[in-house]
Amino acid sequence: MQNIIFFGDSLTAGYQLPASASFPSVLQQRIDSLDLPYKTFNYGVSGETSAGGRLRLASVLNRQPVDVFVLALGANDGLRGIPVRETTQNLQTIIDQVKLKYPDARIVLVGLEFPFDLGPLGGHRMARYALEFKALFRELAEKNSVPFVPFLLQGVIGRRELNLPDGVHPNAAGQKILADNVWAVLSDVLAAKV
């Protein structure tokens, strides 16, 4: 049995949902149905930034061996307007630490982007930030030669019926789409490892 670590924030944790509704749990059900030898671990923490994840990482890496590491952090950095350079450095440090402790682990990077175009609102600085924020994930994936999920919330963001009343966090139906978005990339990673 090999371990898949999902390392993220409230989107990974399945904010305000039963644990079984989070996208890592949905993926475990899919993995089980395909008889693949993987166990998922959900290390999503609501409200966490990339800096918080960097600080928490060592304790997670010490809990069980890591065969696949799915890095899905950064949404809270974007919401808080943390400089893209800082988010990039934190995510790179996380990738480096995983590689150092588990050199054979496969890392998958999950991308995020801003939910709306801020340009028309006169927020030109914010629009530029949004573009840089979106780009940082692809650039990191290319730099580290890791598989890349372009946008975790693809098909869910902005759709009221797929989100909790806060309009930010996916509901159970939305989490299933997040699972599909991740599976589109993760399935090849798992197939290559078996």
Side-chain angles (χ1 to χ4, degrees):
M1 197 56 95
Q2 297 191 37
N3 298 328
I4 308 174
I5 305 303
F6 289 89
F7 194 72
D9 48 37
S10 59
L11 300 173
T12 301
Y15 179 74
Q16 288 193 344
L17 297 171
S20 61
S22 70
F23 81 80
S25 293
V26 173
L27 287 172
Q28 182 69 66
Q29 294 159 23
R30 189 169 299 177
I31 286 164
D32 292 346
S33 75
L34 295 168
D35 252 356
L36 296 173
Y38 290 94
K39 174 149 180 47
T40 62
F41 293 86
N42 186 341
Y43 287 108
V45 172
S46 292
E48 185 156 83
T49 60
S50 61
R54 195 188 75 229
L55 295 173
R56 178 171 64 103
L57 181 66
S59 69
V60 170
L61 294 182
N62 287 331
R63 289 189 190 154
Q64 66 277 309
V66 177
D67 299 292
V68 179
F69 189 89
V70 180
L71 178 54
L73 270 178
N76 291 305
D77 295 47
L79 290 172
R80 296 174 191 186
I82 290 171
V84 167
R85 187 182 68 256
E86 278 182 42
T87 302
T88 302
Q89 287 169 349
N90 288 330
L91 294 176
Q92 184 63 59
T93 298
I94 291 169
I95 290 168
D96 291 343
Q97 288 180 4
V98 172
K99 286 181 175 175
L100 188 66
K101 186 156 176 84
Y102 297 102
D104 294 332
R106 295 301 240 2
I107 298 171
V108 176
L109 183 62
V110 178
L112 294 155
E113 56 189 71
F114 269 86
F116 43 81
D117 178 9
L118 299 155
L121 304 174
H124 301 298
R125 199 177 315 122
M126 283 305 293
R128 187 167 150 219
Y129 177 83
L131 287 171
E132 290 174 1
F133 180 81
K134 176 182 176 180
L136 83 85
F137 296 97
R138 184 172 297 280
E139 289 165 7
L140 266 178
E142 289 172 359
K143 176 183 172 188
N144 292 281
S145 301
V146 297
F148 178 56
V149 177
F151 184 29
L152 179 61
L153 295 170
Q154 184 72 45
V156 175
I157 201 153
R159 293 184 57 189
R160 190 176 304 147
E161 72 278 12
L162 295 174
N163 287 281
L164 296 175
D166 66 13
V168 175
H169 295 97
N171 60 22
Q175 285 279 338
K176 287 181 180 170
I177 296 173
L178 268 55
D180 290 342
N181 292 341
V182 173
W183 184 250
V185 173
L186 184 62
S187 56
D188 289 342
V189 173
L190 302 191
K193 277 281 278 204
V194 172

